[in-house]
Amino acid sequence: MERTAGKELALAPLQDWGEETEDGAVYSVSLRRQRSQRSTPERPGEGQTPIPATDTFLHYRTSKVRALRAARLERLVHELVSGDREQDPGFVPAFLATHRAFVPTARVLGFLLPPPPPPPPPPAGVDSKRTEGQDLNFSKNLRAVVSVLGSWLRNHPQDFRDPPDHQNLGNVRIFLGWAAPGGAEAREAEKLLEDFLKEAKGEQTEEEKRLAWSGPPRTAQTPGSEFAEDCVEEEGPSSEGPELLDFSVDDVAEQLTLMDVELFLRVRSCECLGSMWSQRDRPGAAGISPTVRATVAQFNTVTGCVLGSVLAAPGLAASQRAQRIEKWIRIAQRCRELRNFSSLRAILSALQSNPIYRLKRSWGAVSREPLSVFRKLSQIFSDEDNHLSSRAILSQEETTEEDDCPSGSLPSKLPPGPVPYLGTFLTDLVMLDTALPDTLKGNLINFEKRRKEWEILARIQQLQQRCQRYSLSPRPPILAALRAQRQLSEEQSYRVSRVIEPPAASCPSSPRIRRRISLTKRLRSCPERRTHLLAGVLGIHPHLPPVCLQAHLHPALETESLLLRAVLQPPQGLRAPAPSLLVRTKPPAWCKEPWRSTMCPSPGPETTSSSRSCLGTESF
């Protein structure tokens, strides 16, 4: 039987085997299948003809692989230095990226940094072989510690930021001064300290300028302002210069991408951890995750710009407002072409929000082509199957750029980006932090949880490296117009929207507006149900003879519409109540029938299944 040359058995390269416990640490054990070099039967003599490929053999060997799953802090730090990098190459990067979730940096350095060098060698007569062995082990551990510190300083420099003294960085500098004087790690530590001091000086200068500036900072109007202030004048913002939509679609999309790239490159991966990001709303947690908060603020700014530009000038005709909607759709499409999913999501969230989406006349004036583009772009961020569509598209963008790069080509030939929507990763990390425990039985640190977190953080870091390929130049006029765009609060946006189109307005060509049948209409269409409901509300037995029942209900029937309108009056505000409201009506004491319950739809502003509320409160 002949075998096809080069054909291999389809076996899994890694198979789980079980667990092992050693010195209080738990290891997960796997069997790794590796292929050895091809071997060929030897033939004596020289000048022999080449051996056919069918005579070659494939040799495999199976090796045991251990990965630390749970241990105490001392053992985890010991694994940083003495662990086998070949067997577990992901341990060091996973620990350095996630350690702040369970231990501060200072405590890790306390276990990691060895004491000062030993005293001078002893005099003659002492066992020299034993001394040489100790020196050899000490030097080996010393090189491992220096290697870990070098990786730590390069990949996570902000872990050593501790103003004003930066004590952790000072301890590292002292250690590297005698362990690796003049080495790359020592130079990296010195440069990092200079950068920290320069940043502190720059922040102090900016603070002094801000205090010396006489003008008040630009802030959004409070929800309690007068209703007249909520309506924007037809001439638009009072600031001088062009509006944001006066610029071309390409220029606006490129500037939004530039701002998103700069903020995304500053994001620290450790600030995205669920244990840190989930604490952002607690009292005294205003300083947690500042780089992630900056990304969220930019997302809300873009959303506010869309709302402010579309809802501005309530006196505009529906066709004029539709032109603004169409331009934002084209900007979103250009962001998609630039692979900027952050601003793309922000623009779509604003267009799908209740104050804009309810403008039926304006949407009815939108052209067919932009409306089709809007619907296709909205499918990217569908919430079905845990946002499976957006995840698949982002993975496809990453895979495409790797496949399109021919072998041997430079990385600069790859397309830039993509810029992801950071909220997807934050949601995954928060859910992961909630689902898995921090410690296991025996008060062991669950490092398997940190490995799963590192898989997500590593993807964020890879995307940050790809985003460095963008080459966009800032356009100050567009950035100024972006900052000058008026921001509306949730209540203001909805009030202005109701002024533009009152709730009674309707348009048959509005995009997929779902009609809601009110309780009044349903009761009028079913007289028997209406009679029983009113009888229960008024405490009248519903099974009285029809003549008596009509006599009792005649005054109530005359005021039925007024009563129901008072009960179903929608509250003032953007958000609708719960999807349903259970109204229980209790019969009089002499009625032996059980309580009746009627399901009534909750009143509220016009909403659809695709409506969103991301008005300045988006926190991913």
Side-chain angles (χ1 to χ4, degrees), residues 253 257 329-345 347-348 373 376-377 380-381 389-390 392-394 396-397 418 470:
T257 303
I329 293 176
R330 292 195 297 270
I331 293 175
Q333 184 180 18
R334 180 55 181 159
C335 287
R336 174 64 181 91
E337 296 173 356
L338 292 171
R339 312 211 295 179
N340 179 8
F341 291 92
S342 182
S343 288
L344 172 61
R345 177 66 182 270
I347 296 172
L348 295 178
V373 173
K376 291 180 180 179
L377 294 177
I380 296 178
F381 299 103
S389 178
S390 61
I393 291 177
L394 184 60
Q396 183 180 2
E397 291 288 337
Y470 279 100

PDB file of all heavy atoms in Angstrom, residues 253 257 329-345 347-348 373 376-377 380-381 389-390 392-394 396-397 418 470:
ATOM      1  N   ALA A 253     -14.471  62.117   8.695  1.00  0.00           N
ATOM      2  CA  ALA A 253     -14.215  60.728   9.081  1.00  0.00           C
ATOM      3  C   ALA A 253     -12.743  60.513   9.422  1.00  0.00           C
ATOM      4  O   ALA A 253     -12.420  59.777  10.373  1.00  0.00           O
ATOM      5  CB  ALA A 253     -14.639  59.789   7.951  1.00  0.00           C
ATOM      6  N   THR A 257     -11.247  59.397  13.045  1.00  0.00           N
ATOM      7  CA  THR A 257     -10.361  58.237  13.143  1.00  0.00           C
ATOM      8  C   THR A 257      -9.052  58.602  13.816  1.00  0.00           C
ATOM      9  O   THR A 257      -8.522  57.826  14.634  1.00  0.00           O
ATOM     10  CB  THR A 257     -10.094  57.665  11.739  1.00  0.00           C
ATOM     11  OG1 THR A 257     -11.342  57.325  11.122  1.00  0.00           O
ATOM     12  CG2 THR A 257      -9.214  56.436  11.811  1.00  0.00           C
ATOM     13  N   ILE A 329     -24.715  59.451   7.734  1.00  0.00           N
ATOM     14  CA  ILE A 329     -24.650  58.067   7.252  1.00  0.00           C
ATOM     15  C   ILE A 329     -23.436  57.893   6.342  1.00  0.00           C
ATOM     16  O   ILE A 329     -22.725  56.874   6.411  1.00  0.00           O
ATOM     17  CB  ILE A 329     -25.953  57.703   6.524  1.00  0.00           C
ATOM     18  CG1 ILE A 329     -27.123  57.664   7.514  1.00  0.00           C
ATOM     19  CG2 ILE A 329     -25.809  56.357   5.818  1.00  0.00           C
ATOM     20  CD1 ILE A 329     -28.469  57.411   6.857  1.00  0.00           C
ATOM     21  N   ARG A 330     -23.166  58.870   5.489  1.00  0.00           N
ATOM     22  CA  ARG A 330     -21.985  58.783   4.624  1.00  0.00           C
ATOM     23  C   ARG A 330     -20.694  58.855   5.447  1.00  0.00           C
ATOM     24  O   ARG A 330     -19.707  58.184   5.118  1.00  0.00           O
ATOM     25  CB  ARG A 330     -22.020  59.893   3.578  1.00  0.00           C
ATOM     26  CG  ARG A 330     -23.130  59.740   2.539  1.00  0.00           C
ATOM     27  CD  ARG A 330     -22.886  60.636   1.333  1.00  0.00           C
ATOM     28  NE  ARG A 330     -22.901  62.045   1.710  1.00  0.00           N
ATOM     29  CZ  ARG A 330     -23.977  62.808   1.711  1.00  0.00           C
ATOM     30  NH1 ARG A 330     -25.157  62.285   1.365  1.00  0.00           N
ATOM     31  NH2 ARG A 330     -23.913  64.084   2.041  1.00  0.00           N
ATOM     32  N   ILE A 331     -20.686  59.653   6.509  1.00  0.00           N
ATOM     33  CA  ILE A 331     -19.509  59.703   7.388  1.00  0.00           C
ATOM     34  C   ILE A 331     -19.306  58.352   8.056  1.00  0.00           C
ATOM     35  O   ILE A 331     -18.174  57.861   8.171  1.00  0.00           O
ATOM     36  CB  ILE A 331     -19.668  60.827   8.429  1.00  0.00           C
ATOM     37  CG1 ILE A 331     -19.648  62.194   7.746  1.00  0.00           C
ATOM     38  CG2 ILE A 331     -18.558  60.759   9.468  1.00  0.00           C
ATOM     39  CD1 ILE A 331     -19.918  63.349   8.687  1.00  0.00           C
ATOM     40  N   ALA A 332     -20.395  57.736   8.503  1.00  0.00           N
ATOM     41  CA  ALA A 332     -20.283  56.403   9.105  1.00  0.00           C
ATOM     42  C   ALA A 332     -19.760  55.387   8.100  1.00  0.00           C
ATOM     43  O   ALA A 332     -18.934  54.518   8.435  1.00  0.00           O
ATOM     44  CB  ALA A 332     -21.649  55.968   9.646  1.00  0.00           C
ATOM     45  N   GLN A 333     -20.220  55.493   6.850  1.00  0.00           N
ATOM     46  CA  GLN A 333     -19.724  54.574   5.827  1.00  0.00           C
ATOM     47  C   GLN A 333     -18.234  54.777   5.572  1.00  0.00           C
ATOM     48  O   GLN A 333     -17.482  53.808   5.395  1.00  0.00           O
ATOM     49  CB  GLN A 333     -20.519  54.774   4.536  1.00  0.00           C
ATOM     50  CG  GLN A 333     -20.157  53.798   3.423  1.00  0.00           C
ATOM     51  CD  GLN A 333     -20.968  54.039   2.169  1.00  0.00           C
ATOM     52  OE1 GLN A 333     -21.550  55.115   1.998  1.00  0.00           O
ATOM     53  NE2 GLN A 333     -21.015  53.056   1.287  1.00  0.00           N
ATOM     54  N   ARG A 334     -17.779  56.024   5.583  1.00  0.00           N
ATOM     55  CA  ARG A 334     -16.357  56.297   5.403  1.00  0.00           C
ATOM     56  C   ARG A 334     -15.550  55.785   6.590  1.00  0.00           C
ATOM     57  O   ARG A 334     -14.430  55.273   6.408  1.00  0.00           O
ATOM     58  CB  ARG A 334     -16.151  57.809   5.213  1.00  0.00           C
ATOM     59  CG  ARG A 334     -14.703  58.215   5.024  1.00  0.00           C
ATOM     60  CD  ARG A 334     -14.047  57.477   3.892  1.00  0.00           C
ATOM     61  NE  ARG A 334     -12.645  57.857   3.728  1.00  0.00           N
ATOM     62  CZ  ARG A 334     -11.739  57.111   3.112  1.00  0.00           C
ATOM     63  NH1 ARG A 334     -12.086  55.932   2.588  1.00  0.00           N
ATOM     64  NH2 ARG A 334     -10.496  57.527   3.004  1.00  0.00           N
ATOM     65  N   CYS A 335     -16.093  55.884   7.801  1.00  0.00           N
ATOM     66  CA  CYS A 335     -15.418  55.311   8.966  1.00  0.00           C
ATOM     67  C   CYS A 335     -15.279  53.797   8.816  1.00  0.00           C
ATOM     68  O   CYS A 335     -14.266  53.215   9.213  1.00  0.00           O
ATOM     69  CB  CYS A 335     -16.182  55.654  10.239  1.00  0.00           C
ATOM     70  SG  CYS A 335     -16.055  57.378  10.770  1.00  0.00           S
ATOM     71  N   ARG A 336     -16.289  53.175   8.223  1.00  0.00           N
ATOM     72  CA  ARG A 336     -16.188  51.731   7.987  1.00  0.00           C
ATOM     73  C   ARG A 336     -15.079  51.429   6.993  1.00  0.00           C
ATOM     74  O   ARG A 336     -14.349  50.441   7.154  1.00  0.00           O
ATOM     75  CB  ARG A 336     -17.542  51.219   7.462  1.00  0.00           C
ATOM     76  CG  ARG A 336     -17.532  49.747   7.043  1.00  0.00           C
ATOM     77  CD  ARG A 336     -17.261  48.860   8.235  1.00  0.00           C
ATOM     78  NE  ARG A 336     -17.216  47.463   7.853  1.00  0.00           N
ATOM     79  CZ  ARG A 336     -16.111  46.818   7.501  1.00  0.00           C
ATOM     80  NH1 ARG A 336     -14.954  47.487   7.452  1.00  0.00           N
ATOM     81  NH2 ARG A 336     -16.143  45.544   7.197  1.00  0.00           N
ATOM     82  N   GLU A 337     -14.946  52.263   5.966  1.00  0.00           N
ATOM     83  CA  GLU A 337     -13.871  52.049   5.001  1.00  0.00           C
ATOM     84  C   GLU A 337     -12.502  52.271   5.635  1.00  0.00           C
ATOM     85  O   GLU A 337     -11.531  51.600   5.263  1.00  0.00           O
ATOM     86  CB  GLU A 337     -14.065  52.989   3.811  1.00  0.00           C
ATOM     87  CG  GLU A 337     -15.334  52.715   3.012  1.00  0.00           C
ATOM     88  CD  GLU A 337     -15.574  53.779   1.959  1.00  0.00           C
ATOM     89  OE1 GLU A 337     -14.777  54.757   1.925  1.00  0.00           O
ATOM     90  OE2 GLU A 337     -16.543  53.646   1.187  1.00  0.00           O
ATOM     91  N   LEU A 338     -12.423  53.204   6.581  1.00  0.00           N
ATOM     92  CA  LEU A 338     -11.174  53.438   7.305  1.00  0.00           C
ATOM     93  C   LEU A 338     -10.948  52.418   8.414  1.00  0.00           C
ATOM     94  O   LEU A 338      -9.945  52.487   9.117  1.00  0.00           O
ATOM     95  CB  LEU A 338     -11.166  54.841   7.905  1.00  0.00           C
ATOM     96  CG  LEU A 338     -11.089  56.012   6.915  1.00  0.00           C
ATOM     97  CD1 LEU A 338     -11.304  57.333   7.640  1.00  0.00           C
ATOM     98  CD2 LEU A 338      -9.735  56.006   6.207  1.00  0.00           C
ATOM     99  N   ARG A 339     -11.891  51.502   8.584  1.00  0.00           N
ATOM    100  CA  ARG A 339     -11.828  50.456   9.605  1.00  0.00           C
ATOM    101  C   ARG A 339     -11.819  51.043  11.005  1.00  0.00           C
ATOM    102  O   ARG A 339     -11.150  50.546  11.894  1.00  0.00           O
ATOM    103  CB  ARG A 339     -10.623  49.557   9.374  1.00  0.00           C
ATOM    104  CG  ARG A 339     -10.487  49.085   7.930  1.00  0.00           C
ATOM    105  CD  ARG A 339      -9.869  47.754   7.810  1.00  0.00           C
ATOM    106  NE  ARG A 339      -8.496  47.729   8.271  1.00  0.00           N
ATOM    107  CZ  ARG A 339      -7.743  46.631   8.276  1.00  0.00           C
ATOM    108  NH1 ARG A 339      -8.259  45.502   7.886  1.00  0.00           N
ATOM    109  NH2 ARG A 339      -6.507  46.669   8.664  1.00  0.00           N
ATOM    110  N   ASN A 340     -12.583  52.091  11.187  1.00  0.00           N
ATOM    111  CA  ASN A 340     -12.748  52.730  12.489  1.00  0.00           C
ATOM    112  C   ASN A 340     -14.116  52.325  13.033  1.00  0.00           C
ATOM    113  O   ASN A 340     -15.134  52.960  12.752  1.00  0.00           O
ATOM    114  CB  ASN A 340     -12.650  54.250  12.363  1.00  0.00           C
ATOM    115  CG  ASN A 340     -12.830  54.951  13.686  1.00  0.00           C
ATOM    116  OD1 ASN A 340     -12.889  54.319  14.748  1.00  0.00           O
ATOM    117  ND2 ASN A 340     -12.922  56.266  13.655  1.00  0.00           N
ATOM    118  N   PHE A 341     -14.149  51.249  13.815  1.00  0.00           N
ATOM    119  CA  PHE A 341     -15.404  50.742  14.344  1.00  0.00           C
ATOM    120  C   PHE A 341     -15.871  51.515  15.572  1.00  0.00           C
ATOM    121  O   PHE A 341     -17.025  51.367  15.972  1.00  0.00           O
ATOM    122  CB  PHE A 341     -15.253  49.256  14.693  1.00  0.00           C
ATOM    123  CG  PHE A 341     -15.088  48.375  13.489  1.00  0.00           C
ATOM    124  CD1 PHE A 341     -13.827  48.054  13.012  1.00  0.00           C
ATOM    125  CD2 PHE A 341     -16.184  47.869  12.818  1.00  0.00           C
ATOM    126  CE1 PHE A 341     -13.658  47.245  11.903  1.00  0.00           C
ATOM    127  CE2 PHE A 341     -16.039  47.063  11.713  1.00  0.00           C
ATOM    128  CZ  PHE A 341     -14.770  46.754  11.251  1.00  0.00           C
ATOM    129  N   SER A 342     -15.014  52.310  16.167  1.00  0.00           N
ATOM    130  CA  SER A 342     -15.407  53.074  17.351  1.00  0.00           C
ATOM    131  C   SER A 342     -16.342  54.225  16.971  1.00  0.00           C
ATOM    132  O   SER A 342     -17.461  54.331  17.483  1.00  0.00           O
ATOM    133  CB  SER A 342     -14.167  53.608  18.069  1.00  0.00           C
ATOM    134  OG  SER A 342     -14.522  54.315  19.241  1.00  0.00           O
ATOM    135  N   SER A 343     -15.901  55.101  16.070  1.00  0.00           N
ATOM    136  CA  SER A 343     -16.769  56.194  15.632  1.00  0.00           C
ATOM    137  C   SER A 343     -17.964  55.670  14.842  1.00  0.00           C
ATOM    138  O   SER A 343     -19.046  56.265  14.873  1.00  0.00           O
ATOM    139  CB  SER A 343     -15.978  57.197  14.782  1.00  0.00           C
ATOM    140  OG  SER A 343     -15.096  57.946  15.584  1.00  0.00           O
ATOM    141  N   LEU A 344     -17.777  54.586  14.118  1.00  0.00           N
ATOM    142  CA  LEU A 344     -18.904  53.988  13.400  1.00  0.00           C
ATOM    143  C   LEU A 344     -20.006  53.604  14.373  1.00  0.00           C
ATOM    144  O   LEU A 344     -21.186  53.901  14.146  1.00  0.00           O
ATOM    145  CB  LEU A 344     -18.421  52.761  12.623  1.00  0.00           C
ATOM    146  CG  LEU A 344     -19.506  51.908  11.961  1.00  0.00           C
ATOM    147  CD1 LEU A 344     -20.274  52.717  10.932  1.00  0.00           C
ATOM    148  CD2 LEU A 344     -18.897  50.656  11.329  1.00  0.00           C
ATOM    149  N   ARG A 345     -19.637  52.972  15.476  1.00  0.00           N
ATOM    150  CA  ARG A 345     -20.637  52.588  16.479  1.00  0.00           C
ATOM    151  C   ARG A 345     -21.258  53.828  17.127  1.00  0.00           C
ATOM    152  O   ARG A 345     -22.469  53.856  17.409  1.00  0.00           O
ATOM    153  CB  ARG A 345     -19.985  51.708  17.539  1.00  0.00           C
ATOM    154  CG  ARG A 345     -20.902  51.297  18.689  1.00  0.00           C
ATOM    155  CD  ARG A 345     -22.009  50.403  18.211  1.00  0.00           C
ATOM    156  NE  ARG A 345     -22.919  50.027  19.286  1.00  0.00           N
ATOM    157  CZ  ARG A 345     -22.782  48.958  20.047  1.00  0.00           C
ATOM    158  NH1 ARG A 345     -21.746  48.147  19.863  1.00  0.00           N
ATOM    159  NH2 ARG A 345     -23.658  48.664  20.977  1.00  0.00           N
ATOM    160  N   ILE A 347     -21.719  56.874  15.818  1.00  0.00           N
ATOM    161  CA  ILE A 347     -22.644  57.533  14.898  1.00  0.00           C
ATOM    162  C   ILE A 347     -23.938  56.740  14.777  1.00  0.00           C
ATOM    163  O   ILE A 347     -25.046  57.292  14.817  1.00  0.00           O
ATOM    164  CB  ILE A 347     -21.982  57.730  13.524  1.00  0.00           C
ATOM    165  CG1 ILE A 347     -20.777  58.672  13.643  1.00  0.00           C
ATOM    166  CG2 ILE A 347     -22.975  58.265  12.508  1.00  0.00           C
ATOM    167  CD1 ILE A 347     -19.960  58.780  12.380  1.00  0.00           C
ATOM    168  N   LEU A 348     -23.828  55.419  14.638  1.00  0.00           N
ATOM    169  CA  LEU A 348     -25.022  54.593  14.525  1.00  0.00           C
ATOM    170  C   LEU A 348     -25.849  54.635  15.804  1.00  0.00           C
ATOM    171  O   LEU A 348     -27.084  54.632  15.761  1.00  0.00           O
ATOM    172  CB  LEU A 348     -24.632  53.151  14.190  1.00  0.00           C
ATOM    173  CG  LEU A 348     -23.973  52.922  12.832  1.00  0.00           C
ATOM    174  CD1 LEU A 348     -23.608  51.464  12.659  1.00  0.00           C
ATOM    175  CD2 LEU A 348     -24.880  53.380  11.697  1.00  0.00           C
ATOM    176  N   VAL A 373     -27.810  51.902   3.112  1.00  0.00           N
ATOM    177  CA  VAL A 373     -26.484  51.851   3.737  1.00  0.00           C
ATOM    178  C   VAL A 373     -26.608  51.857   5.252  1.00  0.00           C
ATOM    179  O   VAL A 373     -25.904  51.120   5.960  1.00  0.00           O
ATOM    180  CB  VAL A 373     -25.624  53.038   3.252  1.00  0.00           C
ATOM    181  CG1 VAL A 373     -24.310  53.107   4.028  1.00  0.00           C
ATOM    182  CG2 VAL A 373     -25.348  52.915   1.765  1.00  0.00           C
ATOM    183  N   LYS A 376     -27.576  48.409   6.496  1.00  0.00           N
ATOM    184  CA  LYS A 376     -26.467  47.452   6.406  1.00  0.00           C
ATOM    185  C   LYS A 376     -25.429  47.704   7.500  1.00  0.00           C
ATOM    186  O   LYS A 376     -24.909  46.762   8.111  1.00  0.00           O
ATOM    187  CB  LYS A 376     -25.820  47.534   5.034  1.00  0.00           C
ATOM    188  CG  LYS A 376     -26.695  47.010   3.903  1.00  0.00           C
ATOM    189  CD  LYS A 376     -25.994  47.125   2.560  1.00  0.00           C
ATOM    190  CE  LYS A 376     -26.878  46.610   1.434  1.00  0.00           C
ATOM    191  NZ  LYS A 376     -26.213  46.736   0.106  1.00  0.00           N
ATOM    192  N   LEU A 377     -25.116  48.981   7.746  1.00  0.00           N
ATOM    193  CA  LEU A 377     -24.155  49.292   8.800  1.00  0.00           C
ATOM    194  C   LEU A 377     -24.707  48.928  10.175  1.00  0.00           C
ATOM    195  O   LEU A 377     -23.943  48.507  11.060  1.00  0.00           O
ATOM    196  CB  LEU A 377     -23.797  50.776   8.753  1.00  0.00           C
ATOM    197  CG  LEU A 377     -23.027  51.258   7.518  1.00  0.00           C
ATOM    198  CD1 LEU A 377     -22.825  52.768   7.583  1.00  0.00           C
ATOM    199  CD2 LEU A 377     -21.677  50.552   7.403  1.00  0.00           C
ATOM    200  N   ILE A 380     -24.053  45.430  11.523  1.00  0.00           N
ATOM    201  CA  ILE A 380     -22.728  45.087  12.051  1.00  0.00           C
ATOM    202  C   ILE A 380     -22.778  44.952  13.562  1.00  0.00           C
ATOM    203  O   ILE A 380     -22.161  44.050  14.155  1.00  0.00           O
ATOM    204  CB  ILE A 380     -21.694  46.155  11.636  1.00  0.00           C
ATOM    205  CG1 ILE A 380     -21.540  46.177  10.119  1.00  0.00           C
ATOM    206  CG2 ILE A 380     -20.352  45.902  12.318  1.00  0.00           C
ATOM    207  CD1 ILE A 380     -20.583  47.241   9.620  1.00  0.00           C
ATOM    208  N   PHE A 381     -23.510  45.849  14.230  1.00  0.00           N
ATOM    209  CA  PHE A 381     -23.544  45.869  15.682  1.00  0.00           C
ATOM    210  C   PHE A 381     -24.851  45.309  16.227  1.00  0.00           C
ATOM    211  O   PHE A 381     -25.359  45.770  17.247  1.00  0.00           O
ATOM    212  CB  PHE A 381     -23.337  47.296  16.188  1.00  0.00           C
ATOM    213  CG  PHE A 381     -22.019  47.884  15.796  1.00  0.00           C
ATOM    214  CD1 PHE A 381     -21.930  48.798  14.757  1.00  0.00           C
ATOM    215  CD2 PHE A 381     -20.855  47.513  16.440  1.00  0.00           C
ATOM    216  CE1 PHE A 381     -20.721  49.339  14.391  1.00  0.00           C
ATOM    217  CE2 PHE A 381     -19.642  48.044  16.069  1.00  0.00           C
ATOM    218  CZ  PHE A 381     -19.564  48.958  15.045  1.00  0.00           C
ATOM    219  N   SER A 389     -22.023  39.264  15.127  1.00  0.00           N
ATOM    220  CA  SER A 389     -21.720  39.868  13.833  1.00  0.00           C
ATOM    221  C   SER A 389     -20.511  40.789  13.919  1.00  0.00           C
ATOM    222  O   SER A 389     -19.580  40.695  13.103  1.00  0.00           O
ATOM    223  CB  SER A 389     -22.935  40.639  13.316  1.00  0.00           C
ATOM    224  OG  SER A 389     -22.654  41.274  12.093  1.00  0.00           O
ATOM    225  N   SER A 390     -20.491  41.695  14.897  1.00  0.00           N
ATOM    226  CA  SER A 390     -19.360  42.622  15.014  1.00  0.00           C
ATOM    227  C   SER A 390     -18.077  41.890  15.362  1.00  0.00           C
ATOM    228  O   SER A 390     -16.995  42.250  14.886  1.00  0.00           O
ATOM    229  CB  SER A 390     -19.665  43.682  16.077  1.00  0.00           C
ATOM    230  OG  SER A 390     -19.873  43.078  17.349  1.00  0.00           O
ATOM    231  N   ALA A 392     -17.284  38.800  14.456  1.00  0.00           N
ATOM    232  CA  ALA A 392     -16.832  38.098  13.255  1.00  0.00           C
ATOM    233  C   ALA A 392     -16.210  39.070  12.256  1.00  0.00           C
ATOM    234  O   ALA A 392     -15.185  38.759  11.630  1.00  0.00           O
ATOM    235  CB  ALA A 392     -17.993  37.345  12.619  1.00  0.00           C
ATOM    236  N   ILE A 393     -16.803  40.259  12.109  1.00  0.00           N
ATOM    237  CA  ILE A 393     -16.258  41.227  11.160  1.00  0.00           C
ATOM    238  C   ILE A 393     -14.899  41.718  11.624  1.00  0.00           C
ATOM    239  O   ILE A 393     -13.960  41.869  10.822  1.00  0.00           O
ATOM    240  CB  ILE A 393     -17.243  42.388  10.985  1.00  0.00           C
ATOM    241  CG1 ILE A 393     -18.494  41.903  10.246  1.00  0.00           C
ATOM    242  CG2 ILE A 393     -16.603  43.539  10.224  1.00  0.00           C
ATOM    243  CD1 ILE A 393     -19.565  42.959  10.097  1.00  0.00           C
ATOM    244  N   LEU A 394     -14.738  41.981  12.936  1.00  0.00           N
ATOM    245  CA  LEU A 394     -13.443  42.426  13.445  1.00  0.00           C
ATOM    246  C   LEU A 394     -12.382  41.351  13.257  1.00  0.00           C
ATOM    247  O   LEU A 394     -11.251  41.636  12.850  1.00  0.00           O
ATOM    248  CB  LEU A 394     -13.572  42.804  14.920  1.00  0.00           C
ATOM    249  CG  LEU A 394     -12.317  43.387  15.582  1.00  0.00           C
ATOM    250  CD1 LEU A 394     -11.883  44.677  14.883  1.00  0.00           C
ATOM    251  CD2 LEU A 394     -12.559  43.647  17.063  1.00  0.00           C
ATOM    252  N   GLN A 396     -12.413  39.064  10.978  1.00  0.00           N
ATOM    253  CA  GLN A 396     -12.162  38.985   9.539  1.00  0.00           C
ATOM    254  C   GLN A 396     -11.224  40.088   9.078  1.00  0.00           C
ATOM    255  O   GLN A 396     -10.353  39.863   8.231  1.00  0.00           O
ATOM    256  CB  GLN A 396     -13.483  39.060   8.785  1.00  0.00           C
ATOM    257  CG  GLN A 396     -13.345  38.913   7.281  1.00  0.00           C
ATOM    258  CD  GLN A 396     -14.682  38.992   6.570  1.00  0.00           C
ATOM    259  OE1 GLN A 396     -15.714  39.185   7.201  1.00  0.00           O
ATOM    260  NE2 GLN A 396     -14.657  38.826   5.258  1.00  0.00           N
ATOM    261  N   GLU A 397     -11.384  41.292   9.645  1.00  0.00           N
ATOM    262  CA  GLU A 397     -10.487  42.391   9.289  1.00  0.00           C
ATOM    263  C   GLU A 397      -9.050  42.067   9.691  1.00  0.00           C
ATOM    264  O   GLU A 397      -8.108  42.338   8.944  1.00  0.00           O
ATOM    265  CB  GLU A 397     -10.945  43.674   9.975  1.00  0.00           C
ATOM    266  CG  GLU A 397     -12.252  44.240   9.449  1.00  0.00           C
ATOM    267  CD  GLU A 397     -12.100  44.838   8.063  1.00  0.00           C
ATOM    268  OE1 GLU A 397     -10.960  45.205   7.708  1.00  0.00           O
ATOM    269  OE2 GLU A 397     -13.099  44.926   7.341  1.00  0.00           O
ATOM    270  N   PRO A 418      -7.554  47.449  12.368  1.00  0.00           N
ATOM    271  CA  PRO A 418      -8.713  48.302  12.620  1.00  0.00           C
ATOM    272  C   PRO A 418      -8.729  48.908  14.017  1.00  0.00           C
ATOM    273  O   PRO A 418      -8.070  48.405  14.925  1.00  0.00           O
ATOM    274  CB  PRO A 418      -9.883  47.320  12.453  1.00  0.00           C
ATOM    275  CG  PRO A 418      -9.314  46.003  12.878  1.00  0.00           C
ATOM    276  CD  PRO A 418      -7.881  46.006  12.452  1.00  0.00           C
ATOM    277  N   TYR A 470      -1.482  53.897  11.051  1.00  0.00           N
ATOM    278  CA  TYR A 470      -2.249  55.017  10.507  1.00  0.00           C
ATOM    279  C   TYR A 470      -1.337  56.226  10.330  1.00  0.00           C
ATOM    280  O   TYR A 470      -0.517  56.534  11.197  1.00  0.00           O
ATOM    281  CB  TYR A 470      -3.399  55.393  11.444  1.00  0.00           C
ATOM    282  CG  TYR A 470      -4.622  54.516  11.321  1.00  0.00           C
ATOM    283  CD1 TYR A 470      -4.867  53.497  12.234  1.00  0.00           C
ATOM    284  CD2 TYR A 470      -5.537  54.711  10.298  1.00  0.00           C
ATOM    285  CE1 TYR A 470      -5.989  52.702  12.136  1.00  0.00           C
ATOM    286  CE2 TYR A 470      -6.667  53.912  10.184  1.00  0.00           C
ATOM    287  CZ  TYR A 470      -6.882  52.911  11.109  1.00  0.00           C
ATOM    288  OH  TYR A 470      -7.999  52.113  11.006  1.00  0.00           O
TER     289      TYR A 470
END
